[in-house]
PDB file of all heavy atoms in Angstrom:
ATOM      1  N   PRO I 659     -20.121 -35.118  14.645  1.00  0.00           N
ATOM      2  CA  PRO I 659     -18.846 -35.396  13.978  1.00  0.00           C
ATOM      3  C   PRO I 659     -18.372 -36.816  14.249  1.00  0.00           C
ATOM      4  O   PRO I 659     -18.583 -37.358  15.338  1.00  0.00           O
ATOM      5  CB  PRO I 659     -17.892 -34.364  14.605  1.00  0.00           C
ATOM      6  CG  PRO I 659     -18.779 -33.244  15.047  1.00  0.00           C
ATOM      7  CD  PRO I 659     -20.060 -33.892  15.472  1.00  0.00           C
ATOM      8  N   ALA I 660     -17.723 -37.414  13.244  1.00  0.00           N
ATOM      9  CA  ALA I 660     -17.269 -38.807  13.355  1.00  0.00           C
ATOM     10  C   ALA I 660     -16.384 -39.011  14.568  1.00  0.00           C
ATOM     11  O   ALA I 660     -16.457 -40.043  15.242  1.00  0.00           O
ATOM     12  CB  ALA I 660     -16.532 -39.198  12.079  1.00  0.00           C
ATOM     13  N   ILE I 661     -15.554 -38.023  14.874  1.00  0.00           N
ATOM     14  CA  ILE I 661     -14.620 -38.169  15.996  1.00  0.00           C
ATOM     15  C   ILE I 661     -15.356 -38.251  17.330  1.00  0.00           C
ATOM     16  O   ILE I 661     -14.816 -38.707  18.333  1.00  0.00           O
ATOM     17  CB  ILE I 661     -13.609 -36.994  15.996  1.00  0.00           C
ATOM     18  CG1 ILE I 661     -12.359 -37.377  16.785  1.00  0.00           C
ATOM     19  CG2 ILE I 661     -14.227 -35.713  16.502  1.00  0.00           C
ATOM     20  CD1 ILE I 661     -11.209 -36.426  16.614  1.00  0.00           C
ATOM     21  N   MET I 662     -16.628 -37.834  17.368  1.00  0.00           N
ATOM     22  CA  MET I 662     -17.442 -37.933  18.584  1.00  0.00           C
ATOM     23  C   MET I 662     -18.303 -39.193  18.602  1.00  0.00           C
ATOM     24  O   MET I 662     -18.970 -39.461  19.597  1.00  0.00           O
ATOM     25  CB  MET I 662     -18.366 -36.709  18.705  1.00  0.00           C
ATOM     26  CG  MET I 662     -17.664 -35.409  18.959  1.00  0.00           C
ATOM     27  SD  MET I 662     -18.888 -34.121  19.239  1.00  0.00           S
ATOM     28  CE  MET I 662     -17.836 -32.719  19.568  1.00  0.00           C
ATOM     29  N   TYR I 668     -10.191 -40.159  20.087  1.00  0.00           N
ATOM     30  CA  TYR I 668      -9.844 -39.203  21.146  1.00  0.00           C
ATOM     31  C   TYR I 668     -10.290 -37.807  20.730  1.00  0.00           C
ATOM     32  O   TYR I 668      -9.947 -37.325  19.662  1.00  0.00           O
ATOM     33  CB  TYR I 668      -8.339 -39.190  21.403  1.00  0.00           C
ATOM     34  CG  TYR I 668      -7.933 -38.171  22.451  1.00  0.00           C
ATOM     35  CD1 TYR I 668      -7.993 -38.490  23.801  1.00  0.00           C
ATOM     36  CD2 TYR I 668      -7.544 -36.887  22.085  1.00  0.00           C
ATOM     37  CE1 TYR I 668      -7.655 -37.545  24.766  1.00  0.00           C
ATOM     38  CE2 TYR I 668      -7.207 -35.938  23.035  1.00  0.00           C
ATOM     39  CZ  TYR I 668      -7.267 -36.271  24.373  1.00  0.00           C
ATOM     40  OH  TYR I 668      -6.943 -35.344  25.333  1.00  0.00           O
ATOM     41  N   PHE I 669     -11.054 -37.161  21.602  1.00  0.00           N
ATOM     42  CA  PHE I 669     -11.437 -35.773  21.385  1.00  0.00           C
ATOM     43  C   PHE I 669     -11.730 -35.128  22.727  1.00  0.00           C
ATOM     44  O   PHE I 669     -12.476 -35.683  23.543  1.00  0.00           O
ATOM     45  CB  PHE I 669     -12.678 -35.671  20.492  1.00  0.00           C
ATOM     46  CG  PHE I 669     -13.168 -34.252  20.321  1.00  0.00           C
ATOM     47  CD1 PHE I 669     -12.461 -33.366  19.528  1.00  0.00           C
ATOM     48  CD2 PHE I 669     -14.313 -33.805  20.965  1.00  0.00           C
ATOM     49  CE1 PHE I 669     -12.893 -32.053  19.375  1.00  0.00           C
ATOM     50  CE2 PHE I 669     -14.757 -32.505  20.813  1.00  0.00           C
ATOM     51  CZ  PHE I 669     -14.040 -31.627  20.013  1.00  0.00           C
ATOM     52  N   ASP I 675      -6.525 -26.178  20.247  1.00  0.00           N
ATOM     53  CA  ASP I 675      -5.562 -26.411  19.180  1.00  0.00           C
ATOM     54  C   ASP I 675      -6.229 -27.249  18.100  1.00  0.00           C
ATOM     55  O   ASP I 675      -7.419 -27.541  18.175  1.00  0.00           O
ATOM     56  CB  ASP I 675      -4.332 -27.122  19.751  1.00  0.00           C
ATOM     57  CG  ASP I 675      -3.078 -26.855  18.936  1.00  0.00           C
ATOM     58  OD1 ASP I 675      -3.218 -26.390  17.790  1.00  0.00           O
ATOM     59  OD2 ASP I 675      -1.976 -27.112  19.440  1.00  0.00           O
ATOM     60  N   SER I 676      -5.450 -27.664  17.115  1.00  0.00           N
ATOM     61  CA  SER I 676      -6.004 -28.496  16.063  1.00  0.00           C
ATOM     62  C   SER I 676      -6.442 -29.841  16.629  1.00  0.00           C
ATOM     63  O   SER I 676      -5.928 -30.308  17.644  1.00  0.00           O
ATOM     64  CB  SER I 676      -4.973 -28.699  14.946  1.00  0.00           C
ATOM     65  OG  SER I 676      -3.802 -29.289  15.461  1.00  0.00           O
ATOM     66  N   VAL I 677      -7.406 -30.464  15.975  1.00  0.00           N
ATOM     67  CA  VAL I 677      -7.975 -31.732  16.433  1.00  0.00           C
ATOM     68  C   VAL I 677      -7.158 -32.871  15.824  1.00  0.00           C
ATOM     69  O   VAL I 677      -6.906 -32.867  14.616  1.00  0.00           O
ATOM     70  CB  VAL I 677      -9.454 -31.836  16.006  1.00  0.00           C
ATOM     71  CG1 VAL I 677     -10.050 -33.171  16.433  1.00  0.00           C
ATOM     72  CG2 VAL I 677     -10.246 -30.672  16.603  1.00  0.00           C
ATOM     73  N   PRO I 678      -6.709 -33.838  16.640  1.00  0.00           N
ATOM     74  CA  PRO I 678      -5.886 -34.918  16.087  1.00  0.00           C
ATOM     75  C   PRO I 678      -6.602 -35.655  14.961  1.00  0.00           C
ATOM     76  O   PRO I 678      -7.746 -36.069  15.102  1.00  0.00           O
ATOM     77  CB  PRO I 678      -5.650 -35.838  17.293  1.00  0.00           C
ATOM     78  CG  PRO I 678      -6.694 -35.485  18.291  1.00  0.00           C
ATOM     79  CD  PRO I 678      -6.978 -34.033  18.073  1.00  0.00           C
ATOM     80  N   GLY I 679      -5.900 -35.778  13.834  1.00  0.00           N
ATOM     81  CA  GLY I 679      -6.456 -36.529  12.722  1.00  0.00           C
ATOM     82  C   GLY I 679      -7.426 -35.773  11.845  1.00  0.00           C
ATOM     83  O   GLY I 679      -7.953 -36.326  10.887  1.00  0.00           O
ATOM     84  N   VAL I 680      -7.698 -34.496  12.157  1.00  0.00           N
ATOM     85  CA  VAL I 680      -8.626 -33.696  11.352  1.00  0.00           C
ATOM     86  C   VAL I 680      -7.837 -32.575  10.685  1.00  0.00           C
ATOM     87  O   VAL I 680      -7.120 -31.828  11.352  1.00  0.00           O
ATOM     88  CB  VAL I 680      -9.764 -33.105  12.213  1.00  0.00           C
ATOM     89  CG1 VAL I 680     -10.686 -32.236  11.358  1.00  0.00           C
ATOM     90  CG2 VAL I 680     -10.560 -34.216  12.885  1.00  0.00           C
ATOM     91  N   SER I 681      -7.963 -32.456   9.370  1.00  0.00           N
ATOM     92  CA  SER I 681      -7.230 -31.419   8.637  1.00  0.00           C
ATOM     93  C   SER I 681      -7.925 -30.074   8.800  1.00  0.00           C
ATOM     94  O   SER I 681      -9.100 -29.942   8.459  1.00  0.00           O
ATOM     95  CB  SER I 681      -7.165 -31.782   7.151  1.00  0.00           C
ATOM     96  OG  SER I 681      -6.545 -30.756   6.417  1.00  0.00           O
ATOM     97  N   PRO I 682      -7.217 -29.066   9.320  1.00  0.00           N
ATOM     98  CA  PRO I 682      -7.842 -27.738   9.431  1.00  0.00           C
ATOM     99  C   PRO I 682      -8.207 -27.200   8.054  1.00  0.00           C
ATOM    100  O   PRO I 682      -7.500 -27.425   7.073  1.00  0.00           O
ATOM    101  CB  PRO I 682      -6.745 -26.885  10.082  1.00  0.00           C
ATOM    102  CG  PRO I 682      -5.797 -27.845  10.704  1.00  0.00           C
ATOM    103  CD  PRO I 682      -5.836 -29.071   9.842  1.00  0.00           C
ATOM    104  N   GLN I 683      -9.315 -26.493   7.989  1.00  0.00           N
ATOM    105  CA  GLN I 683      -9.746 -25.845   6.749  1.00  0.00           C
ATOM    106  C   GLN I 683      -9.582 -24.337   6.905  1.00  0.00           C
ATOM    107  O   GLN I 683      -9.705 -23.804   8.009  1.00  0.00           O
ATOM    108  CB  GLN I 683     -11.210 -26.173   6.457  1.00  0.00           C
ATOM    109  CG  GLN I 683     -11.500 -27.655   6.268  1.00  0.00           C
ATOM    110  CD  GLN I 683     -10.915 -28.201   4.986  1.00  0.00           C
ATOM    111  OE1 GLN I 683     -11.281 -27.802   3.898  1.00  0.00           O
ATOM    112  NE2 GLN I 683      -9.972 -29.125   5.119  1.00  0.00           N
ATOM    113  N   ILE I 719     -15.699 -25.179  18.451  1.00  0.00           N
ATOM    114  CA  ILE I 719     -14.829 -25.517  19.569  1.00  0.00           C
ATOM    115  C   ILE I 719     -13.993 -24.276  19.897  1.00  0.00           C
ATOM    116  O   ILE I 719     -13.837 -23.386  19.060  1.00  0.00           O
ATOM    117  CB  ILE I 719     -13.940 -26.730  19.253  1.00  0.00           C
ATOM    118  CG1 ILE I 719     -13.035 -26.440  18.039  1.00  0.00           C
ATOM    119  CG2 ILE I 719     -14.796 -27.971  19.010  1.00  0.00           C
ATOM    120  CD1 ILE I 719     -12.011 -27.529  17.773  1.00  0.00           C
ATOM    121  N   ASP I 722     -11.688 -22.653  17.403  1.00  0.00           N
ATOM    122  CA  ASP I 722     -12.246 -22.085  16.171  1.00  0.00           C
ATOM    123  C   ASP I 722     -12.924 -20.741  16.372  1.00  0.00           C
ATOM    124  O   ASP I 722     -13.173 -20.025  15.403  1.00  0.00           O
ATOM    125  CB  ASP I 722     -13.254 -23.062  15.549  1.00  0.00           C
ATOM    126  CG  ASP I 722     -12.591 -24.295  14.975  1.00  0.00           C
ATOM    127  OD1 ASP I 722     -11.360 -24.259  14.788  1.00  0.00           O
ATOM    128  OD2 ASP I 722     -13.288 -25.298  14.744  1.00  0.00           O
ATOM    129  N   GLN I 747      -9.207 -19.946  10.377  1.00  0.00           N
ATOM    130  CA  GLN I 747      -8.829 -21.364  10.384  1.00  0.00           C
ATOM    131  C   GLN I 747      -9.878 -22.141  11.162  1.00  0.00           C
ATOM    132  O   GLN I 747     -10.202 -21.800  12.308  1.00  0.00           O
ATOM    133  CB  GLN I 747      -7.455 -21.570  11.024  1.00  0.00           C
ATOM    134  CG  GLN I 747      -7.063 -23.043  11.080  1.00  0.00           C
ATOM    135  CD  GLN I 747      -5.603 -23.247  11.423  1.00  0.00           C
ATOM    136  OE1 GLN I 747      -4.735 -22.623  10.821  1.00  0.00           O
ATOM    137  NE2 GLN I 747      -5.323 -24.097  12.384  1.00  0.00           N
ATOM    138  N   ILE I 748     -10.403 -23.179  10.551  1.00  0.00           N
ATOM    139  CA  ILE I 748     -11.453 -23.997  11.160  1.00  0.00           C
ATOM    140  C   ILE I 748     -10.867 -25.379  11.441  1.00  0.00           C
ATOM    141  O   ILE I 748     -10.563 -26.135  10.520  1.00  0.00           O
ATOM    142  CB  ILE I 748     -12.686 -24.126  10.232  1.00  0.00           C
ATOM    143  CG1 ILE I 748     -13.114 -22.743   9.710  1.00  0.00           C
ATOM    144  CG2 ILE I 748     -13.828 -24.821  10.945  1.00  0.00           C
ATOM    145  CD1 ILE I 748     -13.606 -21.790  10.769  1.00  0.00           C
ATOM    146  N   ASN I 749     -10.725 -25.711  12.711  1.00  0.00           N
ATOM    147  CA  ASN I 749     -10.073 -26.962  13.094  1.00  0.00           C
ATOM    148  C   ASN I 749     -11.025 -28.147  13.153  1.00  0.00           C
ATOM    149  O   ASN I 749     -10.610 -29.279  12.933  1.00  0.00           O
ATOM    150  CB  ASN I 749      -9.383 -26.792  14.463  1.00  0.00           C
ATOM    151  CG  ASN I 749      -8.234 -25.811  14.400  1.00  0.00           C
ATOM    152  OD1 ASN I 749      -7.161 -26.116  13.910  1.00  0.00           O
ATOM    153  ND2 ASN I 749      -8.473 -24.588  14.871  1.00  0.00           N
ATOM    154  N   LEU I 750     -12.287 -27.900  13.457  1.00  0.00           N
ATOM    155  CA  LEU I 750     -13.289 -28.960  13.444  1.00  0.00           C
ATOM    156  C   LEU I 750     -14.480 -28.473  12.616  1.00  0.00           C
ATOM    157  O   LEU I 750     -15.480 -27.979  13.154  1.00  0.00           O
ATOM    158  CB  LEU I 750     -13.735 -29.338  14.863  1.00  0.00           C
ATOM    159  CG  LEU I 750     -14.664 -30.559  14.959  1.00  0.00           C
ATOM    160  CD1 LEU I 750     -14.031 -31.794  14.335  1.00  0.00           C
ATOM    161  CD2 LEU I 750     -15.039 -30.845  16.412  1.00  0.00           C
ATOM    162  N   PRO I 751     -14.383 -28.587  11.278  1.00  0.00           N
ATOM    163  CA  PRO I 751     -15.421 -28.034  10.404  1.00  0.00           C
ATOM    164  C   PRO I 751     -16.822 -28.566  10.695  1.00  0.00           C
ATOM    165  O   PRO I 751     -17.809 -27.845  10.561  1.00  0.00           O
ATOM    166  CB  PRO I 751     -14.957 -28.450   9.002  1.00  0.00           C
ATOM    167  CG  PRO I 751     -13.478 -28.661   9.135  1.00  0.00           C
ATOM    168  CD  PRO I 751     -13.268 -29.182  10.521  1.00  0.00           C
ATOM    169  N   GLU I 752     -16.914 -29.840  11.104  1.00  0.00           N
ATOM    170  CA  GLU I 752     -18.237 -30.450  11.306  1.00  0.00           C
ATOM    171  C   GLU I 752     -19.025 -29.809  12.444  1.00  0.00           C
ATOM    172  O   GLU I 752     -20.235 -30.004  12.536  1.00  0.00           O
ATOM    173  CB  GLU I 752     -18.079 -31.942  11.583  1.00  0.00           C
ATOM    174  CG  GLU I 752     -17.609 -32.755  10.394  1.00  0.00           C
ATOM    175  CD  GLU I 752     -17.336 -34.195  10.781  1.00  0.00           C
ATOM    176  OE1 GLU I 752     -16.273 -34.459  11.374  1.00  0.00           O
ATOM    177  OE2 GLU I 752     -18.187 -35.054  10.511  1.00  0.00           O
ATOM    178  N   ARG I 863       1.734 -35.509   0.889  1.00  0.00           N
ATOM    179  CA  ARG I 863       0.716 -34.452   0.902  1.00  0.00           C
ATOM    180  C   ARG I 863       1.355 -33.074   0.814  1.00  0.00           C
ATOM    181  O   ARG I 863       0.962 -32.232   0.010  1.00  0.00           O
ATOM    182  CB  ARG I 863      -0.140 -34.525   2.163  1.00  0.00           C
ATOM    183  CG  ARG I 863      -1.030 -35.736   2.265  1.00  0.00           C
ATOM    184  CD  ARG I 863      -2.107 -35.553   3.333  1.00  0.00           C
ATOM    185  NE  ARG I 863      -1.720 -34.694   4.432  1.00  0.00           N
ATOM    186  CZ  ARG I 863      -1.152 -35.096   5.569  1.00  0.00           C
ATOM    187  NH1 ARG I 863      -0.889 -36.394   5.737  1.00  0.00           N
ATOM    188  NH2 ARG I 863      -0.859 -34.245   6.526  1.00  0.00           N
ATOM    189  N   THR I 994      -6.868 -42.570  16.828  1.00  0.00           N
ATOM    190  CA  THR I 994      -7.452 -41.396  16.179  1.00  0.00           C
ATOM    191  C   THR I 994      -6.487 -40.795  15.160  1.00  0.00           C
ATOM    192  O   THR I 994      -6.891 -40.409  14.052  1.00  0.00           O
ATOM    193  CB  THR I 994      -7.829 -40.325  17.230  1.00  0.00           C
ATOM    194  OG1 THR I 994      -8.732 -40.897  18.181  1.00  0.00           O
ATOM    195  CG2 THR I 994      -8.491 -39.116  16.567  1.00  0.00           C
ATOM    196  N   ILE I 995      -5.193 -40.742  15.529  1.00  0.00           N
ATOM    197  CA  ILE I 995      -4.184 -40.217  14.604  1.00  0.00           C
ATOM    198  C   ILE I 995      -4.106 -41.086  13.349  1.00  0.00           C
ATOM    199  O   ILE I 995      -4.071 -40.583  12.216  1.00  0.00           O
ATOM    200  CB  ILE I 995      -2.802 -40.154  15.295  1.00  0.00           C
ATOM    201  CG1 ILE I 995      -2.789 -39.050  16.358  1.00  0.00           C
ATOM    202  CG2 ILE I 995      -1.691 -39.936  14.266  1.00  0.00           C
ATOM    203  CD1 ILE I 995      -2.840 -37.650  15.802  1.00  0.00           C
ATOM    204  N   LYS I 997      -6.394 -43.105  12.032  1.00  0.00           N
ATOM    205  CA  LYS I 997      -7.597 -42.927  11.212  1.00  0.00           C
ATOM    206  C   LYS I 997      -7.558 -41.581  10.486  1.00  0.00           C
ATOM    207  O   LYS I 997      -7.882 -41.485   9.294  1.00  0.00           O
ATOM    208  CB  LYS I 997      -8.850 -42.982  12.088  1.00  0.00           C
ATOM    209  CG  LYS I 997      -9.197 -44.364  12.617  1.00  0.00           C
ATOM    210  CD  LYS I 997     -10.443 -44.255  13.481  1.00  0.00           C
ATOM    211  CE  LYS I 997     -10.837 -45.603  14.057  1.00  0.00           C
ATOM    212  NZ  LYS I 997     -11.993 -45.481  14.955  1.00  0.00           N
ATOM    213  N   GLY I 998      -7.153 -40.548  11.229  1.00  0.00           N
ATOM    214  CA  GLY I 998      -7.112 -39.216  10.637  1.00  0.00           C
ATOM    215  C   GLY I 998      -6.119 -39.114   9.499  1.00  0.00           C
ATOM    216  O   GLY I 998      -6.400 -38.511   8.462  1.00  0.00           O
ATOM    217  N   GLN I 999      -4.935 -39.721   9.670  1.00  0.00           N
ATOM    218  CA  GLN I 999      -3.922 -39.668   8.617  1.00  0.00           C
ATOM    219  C   GLN I 999      -4.364 -40.462   7.383  1.00  0.00           C
ATOM    220  O   GLN I 999      -4.068 -40.082   6.246  1.00  0.00           O
ATOM    221  CB  GLN I 999      -2.587 -40.197   9.141  1.00  0.00           C
ATOM    222  CG  GLN I 999      -1.947 -39.300  10.202  1.00  0.00           C
ATOM    223  CD  GLN I 999      -1.622 -37.910   9.665  1.00  0.00           C
ATOM    224  OE1 GLN I 999      -1.035 -37.769   8.603  1.00  0.00           O
ATOM    225  NE2 GLN I 999      -2.011 -36.882  10.410  1.00  0.00           N
ATOM    226  N   ASP I1001      -7.477 -40.712   6.450  1.00  0.00           N
ATOM    227  CA  ASP I1001      -8.460 -39.825   5.803  1.00  0.00           C
ATOM    228  C   ASP I1001      -7.765 -38.695   5.043  1.00  0.00           C
ATOM    229  O   ASP I1001      -8.177 -38.338   3.936  1.00  0.00           O
ATOM    230  CB  ASP I1001      -9.411 -39.237   6.851  1.00  0.00           C
ATOM    231  CG  ASP I1001     -10.404 -40.256   7.382  1.00  0.00           C
ATOM    232  OD1 ASP I1001     -10.589 -41.295   6.716  1.00  0.00           O
ATOM    233  OD2 ASP I1001     -10.972 -40.025   8.465  1.00  0.00           O
ATOM    234  N   LEU I1002      -6.720 -38.124   5.641  1.00  0.00           N
ATOM    235  CA  LEU I1002      -6.002 -37.032   4.980  1.00  0.00           C
ATOM    236  C   LEU I1002      -5.326 -37.510   3.704  1.00  0.00           C
ATOM    237  O   LEU I1002      -5.319 -36.802   2.685  1.00  0.00           O
ATOM    238  CB  LEU I1002      -4.958 -36.440   5.935  1.00  0.00           C
ATOM    239  CG  LEU I1002      -5.497 -35.673   7.154  1.00  0.00           C
ATOM    240  CD1 LEU I1002      -4.352 -35.224   8.040  1.00  0.00           C
ATOM    241  CD2 LEU I1002      -6.321 -34.475   6.717  1.00  0.00           C
TER     242      LEU I1002
END
Side-chain angles (χ1 to χ4, degrees):
I661 201 168
M662 292 186 178
Y668 178 85
F669 176 73
D675 206 344
S676 58
V677 178
V680 178
S681 176
Q683 299 290 297
I719 60 173
D722 290 344
Q747 178 167 311
I748 311 295
N749 294 284
L750 187 57
E752 291 174 282
R863 293 195 330 269
T994 303
I995 290 291
K997 288 179 181 177
Q999 292 298 312
D1001 287 342
L1002 292 177

